[in-house]
């Protein structure tokens, strides 16, 4: 029964009197603490901006899968607007991640500017999300009609069968990877087969539910079941793709190690000549230490048993980089550029492998705004490295891409615990 309005107001009035007295006393305490609390508080809007970024990134990832499915079902002509919307959303998201990275790096900017960045991040992220979700919803409506539901279900089941057909080959690939490489090298995709099998099973269950709903003319149930079947089927395919991609990445790292090792032998010969005829004793000592470190890494490459070529490549690149730094102190600028060119190819392969690995992890298991921002920054640095004409600057960018990708991986795995 609704209370009488007079009674409510009377009770509220008494409460206000008591509360006012308490607040008068508490106010003094609160004022003394406000400065410390304000100093420790996050920048207003940053949390909201991060949430908006995660939501937008998830929406864009899902929309990319939705577009591929829509193209298969409706053709490229009918999905052209969806494709344009996805590109526009990705552009907005790239800008938002760039701003988020500036906030995360705590650049020495004024508070008003940082508040403006946070506001821009939310606006860009919301626009990206809303853009792709509107297009995705339009095609979801097309699929949800009873008329197209059987066709959609047929396509989904065909895709699930294709995933199941790929599974034995993916199992063999994974088994071969485990025989050849150490556990840490295979870890990013170690449980992908089991996860893919579960995803396919869930997708088939949803497809059966959709079939039953179609027969009973329950449109809403059909829609939900089709969406679930499609989403889980995409997840299974992505997991199997990641296994094959990891195989290719590790093979590329092995090939690059051989190429880099040959180049480093030449670099060592030149460094030894410089060490034996140094411009000064300090340069000789620095070059000698770098030579010893690189020789040690080369001796350890491809040792007995399983290996981690990505880690080996990282260490070789690091040692080569250290040698280049030591030699550069005693060489002219041109020789320094030559050394950077020798290390760049390996750094790029390593950066690409690390970026791809964390991309797969976030795509299949999720991640917070911090990991996604670091991943976006790693991609940006990789683009700079790939397009930079100055090999020294390109190598620096590639190394930054590696570091950002490592940070993104750490943050994503921490968030996923």
């Amino acid at each position: 029964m609704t209370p009488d309005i007079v009674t409510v107001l009377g009770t509220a009035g008494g409460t206000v009197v008591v509360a006012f007295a308490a607040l008068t006393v508490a106010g003094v305490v609160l004022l003394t603490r406000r400065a410390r609390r304000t100093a420790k508080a996050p920048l207003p809007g940053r949390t909201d901006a991060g949430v908006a970024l995660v939501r937008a990134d998830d929406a864009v990832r899902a929309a990319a899968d939705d577009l591929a499915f829509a193209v298969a079902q409706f053709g490229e002509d009918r999905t052209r607007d969806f494709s344009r919307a996805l590109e526009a959303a990705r552009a907005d998201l790239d800008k938002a991640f760039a701003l988020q990275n500036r906030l995360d790096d705590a650049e020495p900017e004024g508070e008003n500017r940082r508040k403006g960045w946070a506001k821009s991040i939310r606006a860009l992220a919301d626009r990206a999300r809303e853009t792709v979700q509107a297009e995705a919803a339009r095609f979801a409506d097309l699929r949800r009609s009873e008329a197209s539901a059987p066709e959609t279900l047929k396509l989904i089941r065909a895709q699930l069968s294709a995933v199941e057909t790929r599974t034995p080959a993916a199992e063999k690939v994974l088994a071969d990877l485990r025989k050849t490489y150490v556990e840490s090298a295979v870890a990013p995709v170690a449980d992908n087969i089991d996860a893919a099998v579960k995803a396919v099973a869930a997708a088939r269950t949803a497809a059966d539910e959709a079939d039953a709903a179609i027969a009973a003319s329950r449109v809403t149930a059909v829609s939900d079941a089709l969406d679930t079947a499609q989403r889980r089927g995409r997840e299974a395919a992505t997991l199997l793709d990641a296994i094959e991609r990891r195989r290719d990445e590790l093979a590329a790292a092995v090939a690059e190690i051989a190429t880099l090792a040959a180049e480093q032998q030449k670099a060592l010969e030149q460094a030894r000549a410089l060490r034996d005829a140094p411009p000064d004793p300090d340069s000789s000592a620095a070059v000698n230490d770098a030579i010893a470190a690189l020789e040690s890494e080369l001796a350890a490459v491809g040792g007995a048993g399983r290996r981690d070529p990505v880690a080996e490549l990282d260490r070789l690149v690091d040692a080569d980089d250290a040698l280049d730094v030591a030699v550069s102190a005693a060489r002219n600028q041109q020789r320094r550029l030559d050394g950077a060119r020798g290390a760049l190819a390996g750094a790029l392969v390593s950066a690409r492998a690390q970026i791809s690995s964390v991309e797969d992890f976030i795509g299949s298991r999720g991640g917070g705004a911090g990991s996604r921002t670091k991943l976006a920054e790693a991609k940006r640095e990789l683009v700079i490295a790939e397009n930079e004409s100055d090999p020294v600057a390109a190598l620096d960018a590639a190394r930054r891409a590696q570091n950002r990708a490592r940070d993104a991986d750490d943050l994503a795995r921490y968030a996923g615990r």
Side-chain angles (χ1 to χ4, degrees):
M1 186 174 184
T2 304
D4 182 82
I5 188 66
V6 175
T7 303
V8 172
L9 291 174
T11 303
T15 303
V16 168
V17 171
V18 175
F20 180 78
L23 287 173
T24 300
V25 176
V28 177
V29 177
L30 291 174
L31 286 173
T32 59
R33 296 177 179 174
R34 178 171 297 174
R36 284 180 294 172
R37 186 173 65 248
T38 300
K40 295 180 180 180
L43 176 68
R46 282 185 75 169
T47 301
D48 290 344
V51 171
L53 261 182
V54 171
R55 292 177 63 194
D57 194 42
D58 283 339
V60 169
R61 290 171 186 271
D65 292 332
D66 285 338
L67 176 59
F69 190 77
V71 170
Q73 186 175 9
F74 300 105
E76 291 187 1
D77 288 341
R78 295 182 67 183
T79 56
R80 205 172 304 280
D81 289 342
F82 195 170
S83 180
R84 293 193 188 100
L86 182 59
E87 289 304 313
R90 282 172 171 161
D92 281 342
L93 202 56
D94 287 344
K95 295 176 184 176
F97 273 126
L99 288 175
Q100 181 69 40
N101 188 70
R102 297 180 75 176
L103 283 178
D104 289 346
D105 286 348
E107 295 184 3
E109 301 287 349
E111 182 177 347
N112 289 337
R113 172 168 287 189
R114 293 190 295 122
K115 286 181 179 178
W117 287 344
K119 183 177 180 181
S120 295
I121 290 169
R122 290 195 301 274
L124 288 166
D126 288 344
R127 185 170 68 181
R129 176 177 53 80
E130 291 165 1
T131 297
V132 294
Q133 286 181 340
E135 284 296 320
R138 184 163 66 88
F139 281 93
D141 289 340
L142 291 176
R143 297 189 193 103
R144 288 169 182 169
S145 67
E146 282 191 85
S148 65
E151 179 185 351
T152 301
L153 183 58
K154 182 179 179 180
L155 180 59
I156 289 173
R157 281 187 165 143
Q159 292 180 336
L160 293 176
S161 296
V163 171
E164 288 177 324
T165 300
R166 292 176 54 197
T167 301
E171 289 176 335
K172 184 178 184 307
V173 170
L174 189 57
D176 291 343
L177 291 179
R178 288 191 169 113
K179 291 177 183 177
T180 307
Y181 305 110
V182 298
E183 182 179 350
S184 60
V186 187
V189 296
D191 62 350
N192 280 28
I193 294 293
D194 290 340
V197 169
K198 291 178 182 177
V200 169
R204 288 208 173 277
T205 298
D208 292 341
E209 293 173 356
D211 207 357
I214 290 172
S217 297
R218 293 183 287 118
V219 177
T220 300
V222 170
S223 169
D224 293 342
L226 287 179
D227 286 347
T228 299
Q230 180 187 354
R231 175 174 53 80
R232 297 310 300 272
R234 288 197 308 261
E235 178 184 331
T238 299
L239 288 164
L240 296 186
D241 289 342
I243 294 174
E244 296 174 357
R245 188 159 45 248
R246 189 61 176 172
R247 173 201 60 196
D248 296 341
E249 291 164 358
L250 293 172
V254 170
E256 185 57 35
I257 284 173
T259 301
L260 182 59
E263 294 174 353
Q264 287 175 334
Q265 290 295 347
K266 297 178 182 178
L268 284 170
E269 292 176 7
Q270 297 172 355
R272 292 186 190 105
L274 182 62
R275 175 196 59 191
D276 296 338
D280 57 73
D282 289 341
S283 294
S284 178
V287 171
N288 190 56
D289 290 344
I291 289 173
L294 181 54
E295 287 176 335
S296 176
E297 292 300 339
L298 286 171
V301 165
R306 298 179 300 166
R307 61 189 297 194
D308 186 344
V310 173
E312 289 176 8
L313 187 58
D314 278 349
R315 291 193 295 270
L316 280 178
V317 170
D318 288 344
D320 189 72
D321 193 29
L323 178 64
D324 178 59
V325 170
V327 167
S328 293
R331 280 182 172 176
N332 60 31
Q333 180 64 13
Q334 184 58 51
R335 288 188 177 274
R336 183 167 180 261
L337 293 176
D338 292 341
R341 289 191 186 95
L344 178 58
L348 287 173
V349 170
S350 179
R352 292 186 188 110
Q354 292 183 51
I355 288 172
S356 179
S357 177
V358 71
E359 176 81 12
D360 290 336
F361 186 94
I362 292 175
S364 60
R365 294 170 177 81
S371 62
R372 295 168 195 249
T373 299
K374 295 300 180 186
L375 176 59
E377 185 63 9
K379 291 179 179 179
R380 189 182 73 82
E381 293 290 357
L382 179 59
V383 170
I384 293 173
E386 291 171 337
N387 293 277
E388 174 59 59
S389 59
D390 181 349
V392 174
L395 179 60
D396 289 341
R399 300 298 290 168
R400 289 195 298 271
Q402 289 176 298
N403 292 333
R404 296 295 192 189
R406 289 169 185 162
D407 292 343
D409 186 76
D410 291 341
L411 289 171
R413 293 180 187 280
Y414 180 80
R417 290 177 181 174

